[in-house]
Amino acid sequence: DIQMTQSPSSLSASPGDRVTISCRASQIINRHLNWYQHKPGEAPKLLISAASGLQTGVPSRFSGSGSGTDFSLTISSLQLEDFATYFCQQSYYTPFTFGQGTKLEIK
Amino acid sequence: EVELVESGGGLVQPGGSLRLSCAVAGFTFSSYWMSWVRQAPGKGLEWVANIKQDGSEKEYVDSVKGRFTISRDNAKNSLYLQMNNLRAEDTALYYCARFHGDYEIGNWYFDPWGRGTLVTVSS
């Protein structure tokens, strides 16, 4: 199975900060990489597909980049509603696998 | 409004069975593959199973093959997961999700999701 490794596993930041979360695949997955936001008690939400495709309704402060094995999710200016856990997911190989998550907390 | 609502979770003893349901509204259920994804306490997300629009194709993660069965009823806009011979490691929050993506580039994702139903396997 493809292992997806996210870093850091947790991150403390302040509103207005710029943060970047990394996701590394154990094999080349081209751009078959998606990002999700998950808040406790809520349904996970798709933010970005195919490495950089911002989903409709997702604020433009979110962006994704990368290809091959290394990917990143950047939030340009943190808002209070962005404090959540973020997961990456590859769809190049089955089984589709997720990273272990990055918990973004308020500093 | 698109909505997926899971139900059927609970406490079950090892070796027991549960049947999860997911009621779907707000999109043409019969037009999409559907999935179950789970999250064990303190762990990341794990894809469990997929089912094709007409139920003719099903895919499972190795750890549940032979024990779990995904099914659907398009007339009732409902997705199911029959879980047999449950183990402690099956304890998780189980989410249903629509499975789709970009056919041109072959990128597949889960969107939207429900809020999940909790399955606890313990004696």
Side-chain angles (χ1 to χ4, degrees), chain A residues 35-76:
Chain A
W35 289 100
Y36 301 84
Q37 178 191 66
H38 191 199
K39 298 179 181 179
E42 297 187 10
K45 176 185 177 182
L46 177 69
L47 297 177
I48 288 172
S49 65
S52 60
L54 196 66
Q55 296 302 293
T56 302
V58 176
S60 59
R61 62 181 179 271
F62 290 90
S63 63
S65 65
S67 66
T69 60
D70 292 312
F71 302 85
S72 62
L73 172 70
T74 297
I75 310 172
S76 60

Side-chain angles (χ1 to χ4, degrees), chain A residues 1-3 18 24 33 41 47 54 65 80 85 93 100:
Chain A
D1 298 357
I2 303 300
Q3 303 301 314
R18 177 185 180 93
R24 174 167 289 179
L33 189 285
L47 297 177
L54 196 66
S65 65
L80 282 176
T85 299
Y93 296 97
Q100 81 281 10

Side-chain angles (χ1 to χ4, degrees), chain A residues 6-7 13 20 29 36-37 40 47 49-50 56 67-68 73 75 78 81 84 86 89 98 103:
Chain A
Q6 286 182 236
S7 60
T20 297
I29 57 169
Y36 301 84
Q37 178 191 66
L47 297 177
S49 65
T56 302
S67 66
L73 172 70
I75 310 172
L78 277 172
E81 61 266 31
Y86 293 85
Q89 171 246 323
F98 294 82
K103 187 173 184 179

Side-chain angles (χ1 to χ4, degrees), chain A residues 76-99:
Chain A
S76 60
S77 179
L78 277 172
Q79 305 298 303
L80 282 176
E81 61 266 31
D82 300 337
F83 291 93
T85 299
Y86 293 85
F87 291 94
C88 60
Q89 171 246 323
Q90 66 82 19
S91 71
Y92 197 71
Y93 296 97
T94 56
F96 310 109
T97 47
F98 294 82

Side-chain angles (χ1 to χ4, degrees), chain B residues 26-43:
Chain B
F27 64 90
T28 306
F29 178 72
S30 58
S31 295
Y32 292 90
W33 282 74
M34 295 295 296
S35 302
W36 288 98
V37 179
R38 67 184 179 183
Q39 185 174 27
K43 300 287 184 65

